[in-house]
Amino acid sequence: MKIAKIITVVIFSIISLKTNAQSLKVASVFGDYMVLQREKKVPVWGTSTPKEKITVTFNGQSKSTKSDANGDWILYLDPLETSFKGKEMIVEGNEKLVIKDVLVGEVWICAGQSNMVMSYNSSAEVRGLVPLASNIRSFYVENKVALKEQKDAPGKWKITQPKSAVAFSFAYFLNNLGDVPVGIIQASWGSSSIEAWMPRAMTKELPIFNTIMKEFDADKERVARIQQLINKPNWTNQENIFLRRNSNIIYNAMMHPLIPFACRGLVWYQGERNTRYIAGFPDVDGENWFHRVSGMKDYDEVLKKWIETYRKRWNDNDMHFMVVMLPGYGKGTQKKQNIDIESPTEESWAWMRESQLSAMELPNVSVVNTIDLGDVKNIHPTDKLPIGQRTALLAAKKTLKLKGEAVGPTLKNVEVKDGELIVHFNHAEGLKTIDGKVPTGFWIADDTQNWVKANAKIQDEIVVLSSLEVKNPKYIRYAFAGKPTVNLVNSSELPAYPFRTDNWEE
């Protein structure tokens, strides 16, 4: 009996060991040809057999840790120096992994919806950069959804430029400006709302998102359909549209697995999906449930909370966010789609741009000005090259500390004098118009809020506004329209940022 017991115990122990054993793995965002972020601590993580000693060796460093009871492990490499020469990363436990040809440089996540998705093949100017590009690598996160936060995201590092026109042109110019390898992680999906990229935990901070997710959970039929489609190998176009219109589930599958991969920051080109309403929650039914997203004025708070949440999850307060302003477009909201594209009072994208600009109240946030770009009829304009250039300029200035102007004129203050409004700007050296004509896009009003086009003239680095129709002007709206005609720039030919002064008293 004793021998039988001993044999039983031995067999059970062997079975238990086999059950608990799992191969040594690194998270899917690590792989051959990757780029690691320089000048920051670099987390490396993965899974292994529980309580296994793990050692990571790279570029003369060797760091060790022990996996936990579930087999999860993470360790941190000390800040790395720039490296154009590919090196090996060795990960060792009971097994040995070799990750080949690893560079060290600037890593950025490029995320958002269709205008971030848009291929460089759709923009002739950006496509022309392909043969000139070097030292750019990319990791494309495949479009996936999940009902719970995932550990791994499907994708591989490649020695090639990202598919996105904006991401590629940004990487190209950043590489040139900084003389540094650039790694781009592209995570984008057309027509996705900001809520699609939000972790469920944000329901505790945002009542709007809390309502959305409560309705999501209550819709058993929708959840069941998502569950059914998750493992389906190929979606129809209708299924694809259905999945990307849901909140949270894109974050779970496409963004969460990237955390906390070391990066300099995130370029965010999103917002079109949230422009259907000026503010508040629309009434929805079974046919248009996907309209339950925050409106343009609500996007202000949502965007800032979203940025703060990502920084907490990455444990990186210095993580820089580059928000791409929505460019010119000629349609309004669901309430009124046909609008006067020059009017400062229509429910146009001007209100979304104002919300996007509010994100600069947070540290380490830049907004890429696109007010002179876009297409009145096409929500997917092809003029992506200037966006990449301006984003790279801002990144070089803000994160690489390179010299030079990276921002167009921004409002400093306004004086009222003898029936005129005198507008002072920051970043106004060499203030001029791009076409040599008088400045356009300025509207003024008195206390009646009856807006009229202003007569504008440049005097050194200020703009003087007046109108015979407004004797006592008080307020200004500049480029505050769906597709305004603008021409005001500084000596670097960077456009002036939109603004309105009637919100100073709100």
Side-chain angles (χ1 to χ4, degrees), residues 30 33 95 157-158 229 249 306 410 437 499-500:
F30 294 90
Y33 318 123
E95 302 173 69
W157 282 95
K158 295 183 179 181
L229 292 173
I249 62 175
W306 179 80
T410 59
K437 299 179 181 180
F499 66 85
R500 67 184 179 106

Side-chain angles (χ1 to χ4, degrees), residues 284-330:
V284 298
D285 54 31
E287 294 297 319
N288 67 350
W289 53 268
F290 50 88
H291 284 185
R292 282 290 222 183
V293 297
S294 52
M296 290 189 281
K297 287 187 176 181
D298 303 315
Y299 196 90
D300 174 335
E301 180 187 10
V302 172
L303 178 60
K304 285 183 280 192
K305 291 286 186 184
W306 179 80
I307 290 171
E308 290 173 335
T309 298
Y310 272 42
R311 284 177 174 162
K312 287 176 185 176
R313 295 211 162 196
W314 254 273
N315 192 28
D316 184 1
N317 289 330
D318 294 328
M319 185 177 181
H320 204 101
F321 281 76
M322 312 280 284
V323 178
V324 179
M325 180 191 294
L326 293 193
Y329 185 55

Side-chain angles (χ1 to χ4, degrees), residues 121-367:
N121 286 321
S122 300
S123 176
E125 290 180 311
V126 180
R127 188 169 64 247
L129 300 177
V130 172
L132 307 174
S134 62
N135 295 306
I136 297 172
R137 298 184 176 185
S138 60
F139 183 99
Y140 178 77
V141 182
E142 296 176 19
N143 290 162
K144 296 288 183 183
V145 298
L147 293 169
K148 293 183 179 180
E149 295 174 353
Q150 301 297 296
K151 287 186 176 182
D152 286 316
K156 289 183 178 180
W157 282 95
K158 295 183 179 181
I159 307 177
T160 186
Q161 64 278 349
K163 299 177 182 180
S164 160
V166 169
F168 169 42
S169 54
F170 163 64
Y172 176 86
F173 290 109
L174 185 63
N175 167 251
N176 284 355
L177 289 166
D179 188 26
V180 60
V182 176
I184 298 293
I185 300 174
Q186 183 183 338
S188 50
W189 201 341
S191 73
S192 55
S193 63
I194 191 172
E195 288 81 2
W197 298 91
M198 287 163 56
R200 184 177 278 266
M202 287 186 68
T203 55
K204 297 175 183 177
E205 298 182 90
L206 292 168
I208 288 176
F209 189 48
N210 188 43
T211 299
I212 290 171
M213 293 313 298
K214 279 185 175 179
E215 292 176 349
F216 177 92
D217 293 337
D219 192 344
K220 303 299 182 184
E221 184 178 340
R222 182 173 15 150
V223 174
R225 187 182 178 197
I226 292 168
Q227 185 64 63
Q228 179 188 15
L229 292 173
I230 283 175
N231 297 317
K232 185 181 175 184
N234 295 300
W235 299 322
T236 65
N237 186 55
Q238 186 180 18
E239 290 167 343
N240 184 299
I241 293 170
F242 162 74
L243 289 171
R244 69 198 194 200
R245 284 178 170 176
N246 281 278
S247 297
N248 171 248
I249 62 175
I250 293 179
Y251 167 85
N252 290 341
M254 294 180 63
M255 189 62 72
H256 187 78
L258 305 179
I259 301 170
F261 194 80
C263 61
R264 184 68 72 182
L266 189 150
V267 180
W268 181 240
Y269 194 165
Q270 192 281 332
E272 300 93 334
R273 177 77 172 80
N274 293 81
T275 60
R276 286 177 169 81
Y277 301 92
I278 192 76
F281 257 6
D283 292 327
V284 298
D285 54 31
E287 294 297 319
N288 67 350
W289 53 268
F290 50 88
H291 284 185
R292 282 290 222 183
V293 297
S294 52
M296 290 189 281
K297 287 187 176 181
D298 303 315
Y299 196 90
D300 174 335
E301 180 187 10
V302 172
L303 178 60
K304 285 183 280 192
K305 291 286 186 184
W306 179 80
I307 290 171
E308 290 173 335
T309 298
Y310 272 42
R311 284 177 174 162
K312 287 176 185 176
R313 295 211 162 196
W314 254 273
N315 192 28
D316 184 1
N317 289 330
D318 294 328
M319 185 177 181
H320 204 101
F321 281 76
M322 312 280 284
V323 178
V324 179
M325 180 191 294
L326 293 193
Y329 185 55
K331 287 188 178 180
T333 61
Q334 290 291 111
K335 178 181 174 183
K336 182 186 175 186
Q337 292 197 20
N338 295 321
I339 60 171
D340 178 347
I341 62 172
E342 300 277 357
S343 171
T345 60
E346 296 275 21
E347 290 189 1
S348 69
W349 282 10
W351 301 97
M352 173 57 84
R353 298 181 197 115
E354 183 175 72
S355 285
Q356 291 177 313
L357 285 164
S358 75
M360 290 196 297
E361 296 168 9
L362 299 177
N364 301 319
V365 175
S366 301
V367 175

Side-chain angles (χ1 to χ4, degrees), residues 400-467:
L400 305 185
K401 309 303 180 187
L402 297 187
K403 294 180 180 179
E405 185 59 86
V407 177
T410 59
L411 177 64
K412 185 177 182 180
N413 59 55
V414 178
E415 291 180 79
V416 181
K417 186 176 181 181
D418 299 328
E420 296 180 325
L421 296 176
I422 302 170
V423 188
H424 297 262
F425 293 92
N426 301 304
H427 308 283
E429 183 178 348
L431 192 67
K432 62 180 182 178
T433 57
I434 201 79
D435 55 7
K437 299 179 181 180
V438 296
T440 58
F442 286 95
W443 293 67
I444 59 175
D446 56 19
D447 283 321
T448 66
Q449 295 280 299
N450 180 30
W451 295 94
V452 300
K453 284 186 179 181
N455 297 314
K457 57 184 177 181
I458 297 174
Q459 293 181 358
D460 296 323
E461 294 181 358
I462 64 174
V463 173
V464 180
L465 305 175
S466 63
S467 172

